[in-house]
mmCIF file of all heavy atoms in Angstrom:
data_model
loop_
_atom_site.group_PDB
_atom_site.id
_atom_site.type_symbol
_atom_site.label_atom_id
_atom_site.label_comp_id
_atom_site.label_asym_id
_atom_site.label_seq_id
_atom_site.Cartn_x
_atom_site.Cartn_y
_atom_site.Cartn_z
ATOM 1 N N LEU A 189 263.698 130.534 -12.110
ATOM 2 C CA LEU A 189 264.371 130.476 -13.383
ATOM 3 C C LEU A 189 263.333 130.448 -14.542
ATOM 4 O O LEU A 189 263.473 131.053 -15.648
ATOM 5 C CB LEU A 189 265.336 129.354 -13.488
ATOM 6 C CG LEU A 189 266.634 129.488 -12.622
ATOM 7 C CD1 LEU A 189 267.340 128.099 -12.497
ATOM 8 C CD2 LEU A 189 267.551 130.489 -13.286
ATOM 9 N N GLN A 190 262.282 129.623 -14.355
ATOM 10 C CA GLN A 190 261.269 129.468 -15.365
ATOM 11 C C GLN A 190 260.534 130.831 -15.594
ATOM 12 O O GLN A 190 260.225 131.249 -16.709
ATOM 13 C CB GLN A 190 260.307 128.343 -15.052
ATOM 14 C CG GLN A 190 260.931 127.034 -15.087
ATOM 15 C CD GLN A 190 260.063 125.948 -14.494
ATOM 16 O OE1 GLN A 190 259.092 126.171 -13.830
ATOM 17 N NE2 GLN A 190 260.455 124.697 -14.739
ATOM 18 N N LEU A 191 260.201 131.514 -14.516
ATOM 19 C CA LEU A 191 259.493 132.775 -14.616
ATOM 20 C C LEU A 191 260.297 133.846 -15.355
ATOM 21 O O LEU A 191 259.795 134.615 -16.138
ATOM 22 C CB LEU A 191 259.164 133.332 -13.150
ATOM 23 C CG LEU A 191 258.033 132.608 -12.477
ATOM 24 C CD1 LEU A 191 258.003 133.118 -10.982
ATOM 25 C CD2 LEU A 191 256.726 132.898 -13.122
ATOM 26 N N LEU A 192 261.649 133.763 -15.163
ATOM 27 C CA LEU A 192 262.493 134.733 -15.833
ATOM 28 C C LEU A 192 262.720 134.432 -17.276
ATOM 29 O O LEU A 192 263.402 135.172 -17.952
ATOM 30 C CB LEU A 192 263.808 134.881 -15.006
ATOM 31 C CG LEU A 192 263.611 135.437 -13.605
ATOM 32 C CD1 LEU A 192 264.880 135.458 -12.841
ATOM 33 C CD2 LEU A 192 263.044 136.816 -13.682
ATOM 34 N N HIS A 193 262.204 133.356 -17.772
ATOM 35 C CA HIS A 193 262.206 133.061 -19.235
ATOM 36 C C HIS A 193 261.277 134.099 -19.927
ATOM 37 O O HIS A 193 261.453 134.388 -21.092
ATOM 38 C CB HIS A 193 261.696 131.681 -19.563
ATOM 39 C CG HIS A 193 262.786 130.687 -19.811
ATOM 40 N ND1 HIS A 193 263.706 130.845 -20.792
ATOM 41 C CD2 HIS A 193 263.105 129.538 -19.202
ATOM 42 C CE1 HIS A 193 264.547 129.895 -20.767
ATOM 43 N NE2 HIS A 193 264.166 129.035 -19.835
ATOM 44 N N GLU A 194 260.326 134.577 -19.196
ATOM 45 C CA GLU A 194 259.288 135.516 -19.771
ATOM 46 C C GLU A 194 259.857 136.940 -19.827
ATOM 47 O O GLU A 194 259.730 137.587 -20.859
ATOM 48 C CB GLU A 194 258.041 135.461 -18.949
ATOM 49 C CG GLU A 194 256.970 136.304 -19.552
ATOM 50 C CD GLU A 194 255.569 135.996 -18.891
ATOM 51 O OE1 GLU A 194 255.423 134.863 -18.443
ATOM 52 O OE2 GLU A 194 254.706 136.898 -18.952
ATOM 53 N N ARG A 195 260.328 137.429 -18.684
ATOM 54 C CA ARG A 195 260.928 138.755 -18.664
ATOM 55 C C ARG A 195 261.764 138.950 -17.410
ATOM 56 O O ARG A 195 261.614 138.082 -16.473
ATOM 57 C CB ARG A 195 259.802 139.798 -18.710
ATOM 58 C CG ARG A 195 258.936 139.910 -17.485
ATOM 59 C CD ARG A 195 257.907 141.044 -17.494
ATOM 60 N NE ARG A 195 257.029 141.051 -16.392
ATOM 61 C CZ ARG A 195 257.264 141.592 -15.214
ATOM 62 N NH1 ARG A 195 258.483 142.051 -14.938
ATOM 63 N NH2 ARG A 195 256.315 141.552 -14.263
ATOM 64 N N ALA A 196 262.535 139.971 -17.321
ATOM 65 C CA ALA A 196 263.248 140.276 -16.092
ATOM 66 C C ALA A 196 262.274 140.682 -15.068
ATOM 67 O O ALA A 196 261.161 141.233 -15.344
ATOM 68 C CB ALA A 196 264.276 141.435 -16.411
ATOM 69 N N ALA A 197 262.642 140.434 -13.739
ATOM 70 C CA ALA A 197 261.666 140.710 -12.670
ATOM 71 C C ALA A 197 262.401 141.066 -11.455
ATOM 72 O O ALA A 197 263.588 140.698 -11.259
ATOM 73 C CB ALA A 197 260.724 139.618 -12.425
ATOM 74 N N THR A 198 261.805 141.909 -10.522
ATOM 75 C CA THR A 198 262.358 142.230 -9.231
ATOM 76 C C THR A 198 261.984 141.107 -8.266
ATOM 77 O O THR A 198 261.143 140.248 -8.448
ATOM 78 C CB THR A 198 261.733 143.481 -8.764
ATOM 79 O OG1 THR A 198 260.317 143.300 -8.490
ATOM 80 C CG2 THR A 198 261.937 144.636 -9.778
ATOM 81 N N VAL A 199 262.694 141.083 -7.134
ATOM 82 C CA VAL A 199 262.374 140.163 -6.058
ATOM 83 C C VAL A 199 260.917 140.314 -5.586
ATOM 84 O O VAL A 199 260.263 139.335 -5.388
ATOM 85 C CB VAL A 199 263.373 140.373 -4.836
ATOM 86 C CG1 VAL A 199 262.892 139.550 -3.660
ATOM 87 C CG2 VAL A 199 264.735 139.893 -5.278
ATOM 88 N N THR A 200 260.454 141.528 -5.544
ATOM 89 C CA THR A 200 259.075 141.815 -5.171
ATOM 90 C C THR A 200 258.116 141.156 -6.147
ATOM 91 O O THR A 200 257.158 140.475 -5.746
ATOM 92 C CB THR A 200 258.810 143.298 -5.076
ATOM 93 O OG1 THR A 200 259.697 143.902 -4.154
ATOM 94 C CG2 THR A 200 257.390 143.589 -4.715
ATOM 95 N N GLU A 201 258.315 141.236 -7.410
ATOM 96 C CA GLU A 201 257.493 140.638 -8.468
ATOM 97 C C GLU A 201 257.532 139.130 -8.353
ATOM 98 O O GLU A 201 256.556 138.412 -8.424
ATOM 99 C CB GLU A 201 257.893 141.108 -9.836
ATOM 100 C CG GLU A 201 257.553 142.527 -10.126
ATOM 101 C CD GLU A 201 258.134 143.042 -11.392
ATOM 102 O OE1 GLU A 201 259.262 142.648 -11.831
ATOM 103 O OE2 GLU A 201 257.359 143.733 -12.143
ATOM 104 N N LEU A 202 258.722 138.576 -8.176
ATOM 105 C CA LEU A 202 258.903 137.167 -8.102
ATOM 106 C C LEU A 202 258.186 136.622 -6.845
ATOM 107 O O LEU A 202 257.535 135.554 -6.865
ATOM 108 C CB LEU A 202 260.398 136.822 -8.008
ATOM 109 C CG LEU A 202 261.132 137.011 -9.320
ATOM 110 C CD1 LEU A 202 262.646 136.873 -9.067
ATOM 111 C CD2 LEU A 202 260.726 135.979 -10.345
ATOM 112 N N ALA A 203 258.348 137.309 -5.756
ATOM 113 C CA ALA A 203 257.670 136.865 -4.452
ATOM 114 C C ALA A 203 256.145 136.830 -4.610
ATOM 115 O O ALA A 203 255.425 135.951 -4.173
ATOM 116 C CB ALA A 203 258.051 137.791 -3.314
ATOM 117 N N ALA A 204 255.637 137.899 -5.308
ATOM 118 C CA ALA A 204 254.163 137.895 -5.549
ATOM 119 C C ALA A 204 253.736 136.782 -6.479
ATOM 120 O O ALA A 204 252.716 136.154 -6.232
ATOM 121 C CB ALA A 204 253.762 139.273 -6.207
ATOM 122 N N ALA A 205 254.522 136.475 -7.460
ATOM 123 C CA ALA A 205 254.230 135.382 -8.382
ATOM 124 C C ALA A 205 254.142 133.991 -7.766
ATOM 125 O O ALA A 205 253.369 133.204 -7.996
ATOM 126 C CB ALA A 205 255.176 135.395 -9.605
ATOM 127 N N VAL A 206 255.086 133.775 -6.846
ATOM 128 C CA VAL A 206 255.231 132.464 -6.224
ATOM 129 C C VAL A 206 254.530 132.333 -4.905
ATOM 130 O O VAL A 206 254.464 131.274 -4.301
ATOM 131 C CB VAL A 206 256.720 131.972 -6.117
ATOM 132 C CG1 VAL A 206 257.358 131.918 -7.388
ATOM 133 C CG2 VAL A 206 257.484 132.869 -5.134
ATOM 134 N N GLY A 207 254.004 133.468 -4.392
ATOM 135 C CA GLY A 207 253.222 133.429 -3.167
ATOM 136 C C GLY A 207 254.091 133.179 -1.915
ATOM 137 O O GLY A 207 253.693 132.481 -0.992
#
Side-chain angles (χ1 to χ4, degrees):
L189 287 166
Q190 290 169 349
L191 287 169
L192 295 174
H193 261 301
E194 185 166 332
R195 66 172 178 84
T198 65
V199 168
T200 301
E201 290 174 319
L202 291 168
V206 299

